[in-house]
Amino acid sequence: MTREPDARDTTGLSRRQLIVTGGVGGIALAAAPGVASAARSGLPIVHRGMSRMVVVVSDEAGTSMLAARDALVDYVEQATGVRLQTASLPSNPPPADAGAINLGVVGPGTPAALVDEVAGLDPSGFAIVPHGRSMTILGPTEWGSINGTHDFITSAVGVEWLMPTEEGTHVPQLSTIRMPAEKVIKEPDFPMRMISPFVNEPHVSGTFPADLYRWAARHRLQGWHNNTYDFHHNLFNFFPVSEFGESHPEYYAFGRPPAPGVTVGWQPAFTNPDTIDVAVTKIKAWFAANPESNSISLGVNDSAGFEEPEPSDPYYAWVNAVVERVLQDLPDKWFGLLAYEQLEVPPTFPLHPRVVPFFTQDRYSWIDPEVAAASKARLAAWGEVASQIGWYDYSYGSPYLVPRIFNRHAAEVLRYAKEHNVVAHYQEMYPNWGEGPKPWLTARLMWDVNLDVDAELDRWYELAVGPKAAPYLKQFYELWEEIWTQHAWHTSWFQQHSTYQAFTATGYLDAVPLSKVAEAQALIDQVWANKGTHPQTVRAARLRTMFEYYYASAMSCPRDVPPPQGTEAAIAMLADVETSWQQLAQLSTKRLALIRTWRAYPLLRHPSEPEQHGLIWEGWNPSKFWGVVDHLTSAEPDGGPVTDWLTERRNGPANDFTTYVALTLDVAAGVAPTVIRNGSFEDGAALWDLWIASAGTLVPTTEVAHDGERSLLVRHLLRGGPAQFIPLKPGMVAFRGHLRAPGDSYRATVQVGLNLRDATGRQQGRALGNIIPLHSTGDGWVTVDALFSVPTTINDVPIVEGQYVFILDGFDTDPDAYVDSIAGYQPRGD
């Protein structure tokens, strides 16, 4: 690839390190200036286009170690034009007169005591030791040696993996590369460091391209292949329904085995002692088949399903009993688990010292001082019962519609974690690389929480796009950081008490005025206008392309607006729809087209795509539609200026806007065809089914009603809701329903879903309305509106039917709620 000039001293080492000045035995701390000075005096590896160094590995080196060796050789060549030779021990030793760079192997001249010295390091740690004309990079494990190799590529060669792929890699142009003058020893601040979904070995293509896993490994992150503790959802593997469903239904909560293949929404019966025996047997069998593993997960299944209303004590008592039994035969094993949602409450007794609970929370929410105080208090409570604690965080990039940046806040949170006995950190980030330095900085902070965040960010900006463009890129990301740290948490989207923020809700856009989107566009244009070298030009182009998605999403996403107050306001709202609908439709289409095109490009691909989460729309705003309908119903039941305005346009040229106008008039007049039957539940639950049959019930009731005498009572439903199959024709369909939820439904949400089906009943597509968080809606009736455009075909298959779903989420622990008065309308078509 094209090499980039780099003015800094690329032979300098990173800030946080130990320098050994007294031989193998003595260790002394050195400050950054001294480190750079010591490094400059080291012997050259490459000098003026020449080298006598050979890179040496063991004959038994694994694939990832060989990949790290190849990376060192390749990047030295890209930086200097000199390709180092390779050798392996013992079969192919280097020439006697050559200097050796020993990677993960005791090679020629390696100090004899080094192996014992590194044995006491964290498994991810390493030493870089010069000796004579050679040097050795060695860790207590092969992964430690790999980390040391990648660290050396950065510290000595000056390579920075700013983003995945070679396009995202900065490689300076150098004439000299030196080894350090003194021994360097490094260990991570967090023994376990993972960013999801980049959790495969670096040479393995999994769900995502190998470039992404390789990027993570080069930042010394871990994956499932070399993590310190297993902790994720796992109990479904101990109690497969195929094995126990018929013979032992009592192993399952409520005595109800799940359906075959279902791994979420259910738990074992933790108060049944027989389940302890089953788990112990399964765990011992697993370790027998996997003797190299040091840990196993006791993590509960996802999505609740507990038999106990307050499951913490029963579950953690079960965990202790299982662990004590297993350790009788396997005393060196570890057990991770998820302290997740209902299990975030610590038990009233100590956990076994070999158990590592991963306390789950989106710690972006610590931006709210009240949330931060409560979370720190709970962390302290965990510290009273657990010997060590892991953190599970939700720092999502995708599927958010704009860059979700809070770098300085994230650094403060990580520092707090380090100070309070947190030993493992897992971030469910799913980054899209339009977030720039966020993943890069997070990975670096996981290793060293004391990095100077501002200096690191400035360096990223300059290396990414060049010194002239860097100030504009810095302003671009600081604009988004200001939005997320000062404004977004004041919107209705923000849920104080939720484990994670609703990333499929879009209410945070209330903190993103269109003027800010235009300002961001101007800044990214300045980045492009002032781009640097060819590689920096490529990166500037990629960032500019990524912003196209943010721009199209922020501009076209339907935002809730207040209903019009009076005739003039209603006509103005309609006029705005008339002038903007085509542009909004184009932007709505463009954003999804970009996402689909990017699937083939690792640097552009969104690992959590908007269509997976129903973040699709056609540009029509349901709050504007229903706002005008309500105005017509209340202010113009017999006609008036707004009715006349709409009637004039209804008779205009046929297009999507005239369809929109027709539906507005028909719904207001009460003549639009009804597609929902028994929407007020006066006939009980007839014609309705339960969508997602997880734990929970839907029961017709006469306790309260929005209209008529009945409604539908919802009890303890984690996710699901009343659903009905309805006939559909191409064009618009408008829905309105009502929910009464108590004011303390702090984590519950509601939205409308429409599953689009063909003539065979097969689902071909899906549309979702805006998510409404219920924490701020009070305990009265909440109106739930939606407006969709039904396509004629999807993937060339005609759409003839839909499944309407009144989606309730998070009612598993909240009090009862009621659903009523659901209606759906399409234009008459005459």
Side-chain angles (χ1 to χ4, degrees), residues 131-152:
H131 43 84
R133 292 185 296 112
S134 299
M135 61 179 286
T136 296
I137 301 176
L138 188 66
T141 64
E142 184 172 71
W143 281 102
S145 300
I146 291 169
N147 288 340
T149 303
H150 290 143
D151 181 88
F152 184 76

Side-chain angles (χ1 to χ4, degrees), residues 31-248:
V35 171
S37 174
R40 277 196 295 270
S41 64
L43 295 176
I45 294 172
V46 174
H47 185 58
R48 295 181 179 177
M50 298 180 64
S51 178
R52 290 287 293 162
M53 301 294 286
V54 179
V55 182
V56 183
V57 297
S58 167
D59 288 342
E60 299 178 354
T63 303
S64 294
M65 183 75 251
L66 295 176
R69 176 203 64 186
D70 293 345
L72 174 59
V73 171
D74 291 344
Y75 285 120
V76 167
E77 182 177 24
Q78 290 179 37
T80 67
V82 175
R83 186 163 187 84
L84 303 179
Q85 299 300 306
T86 62
S88 64
L89 295 177
S91 66
N92 181 31
D97 61 343
I101 303 176
N102 304 305
L103 305 182
V105 64
V106 175
T110 299
L114 182 60
V115 173
D116 290 338
E117 187 174 7
V118 301
L121 296 178
D122 180 275
S124 293
F126 55 86
I128 303 176
V129 184
H131 43 84
R133 292 185 296 112
S134 299
M135 61 179 286
T136 296
I137 301 176
L138 188 66
T141 64
E142 184 172 71
W143 281 102
S145 300
I146 291 169
N147 288 340
T149 303
H150 290 143
D151 181 88
F152 184 76
I153 294 170
T154 297
S155 62
V157 186
V159 173
E160 287 288 357
W161 296 288
L162 305 169
M163 297 182 285
T165 76
E166 290 304 295
E167 288 184 353
T169 304
H170 166 80
V171 182
Q173 184 174 356
L174 306 171
S175 60
T176 300
I177 297 175
R178 297 179 180 273
M179 66 178 72
E182 294 140 341
K183 178 164 53 179
V184 176
I185 298 176
K186 296 187 180 182
E187 294 182 281
D189 278 336
F190 297 101
M192 178 173 158
R193 309 157 312 284
M194 293 177 69
I195 292 179
S196 178
F198 310 136
V199 292
N200 274 18
E201 287 197 66
H203 58 277
V204 177
S205 288
T207 304
F208 303 100
D211 280 298
L212 304 183
Y213 306 123
R214 190 176 299 118
W215 178 91
R218 288 173 175 175
H219 283 279
R220 296 169 286 181
L221 296 169
Q222 294 159 291
W224 298 126
H225 52 285
N226 65 343
N227 64 319
T228 310
Y229 310 108
D230 287 326
F231 62 90
H232 229 284
H233 305 297
N234 196 39
L235 294 190
F236 55 84
N237 285 316
F238 298 168
F239 299 92
V241 69
S242 59
E243 184 175 352
F244 300 121
E246 291 187 8
S247 60
H248 291 285

Side-chain angles (χ1 to χ4, degrees), residues 259-275:
V262 174
T263 61
V264 302
W266 64 270
Q267 306 297 340
F270 294 117
T271 55
N272 182 344
D274 292 342
T275 63

Side-chain angles (χ1 to χ4, degrees), residues 471-486:
Y472 299 106
L473 192 58
K474 179 178 181 177
Q475 291 177 58
F476 175 82
Y477 286 113
E478 288 189 343
L479 178 152
W480 295 111
E481 187 156 11
E482 177 187 349
I483 285 171
W484 284 101
T485 58
Q486 297 185 30

Side-chain angles (χ1 to χ4, degrees), residues 458-507:
D458 286 345
R459 174 165 167 72
W460 192 94
Y461 299 137
E462 184 165 333
L463 294 182
V465 295
K468 289 179 63 179
Y472 299 106
L473 192 58
K474 179 178 181 177
Q475 291 177 58
F476 175 82
Y477 286 113
E478 288 189 343
L479 178 152
W480 295 111
E481 187 156 11
E482 177 187 349
I483 285 171
W484 284 101
T485 58
Q486 297 185 30
H487 306 295
W489 64 282
H490 293 294
T491 67
S492 62
W493 160 83
F494 183 72
Q495 294 177 283
Q496 277 190 317
H497 304 288
S498 183
T499 298
Y500 52 87
Q501 299 301 317
F503 49 78
T504 56
T506 59

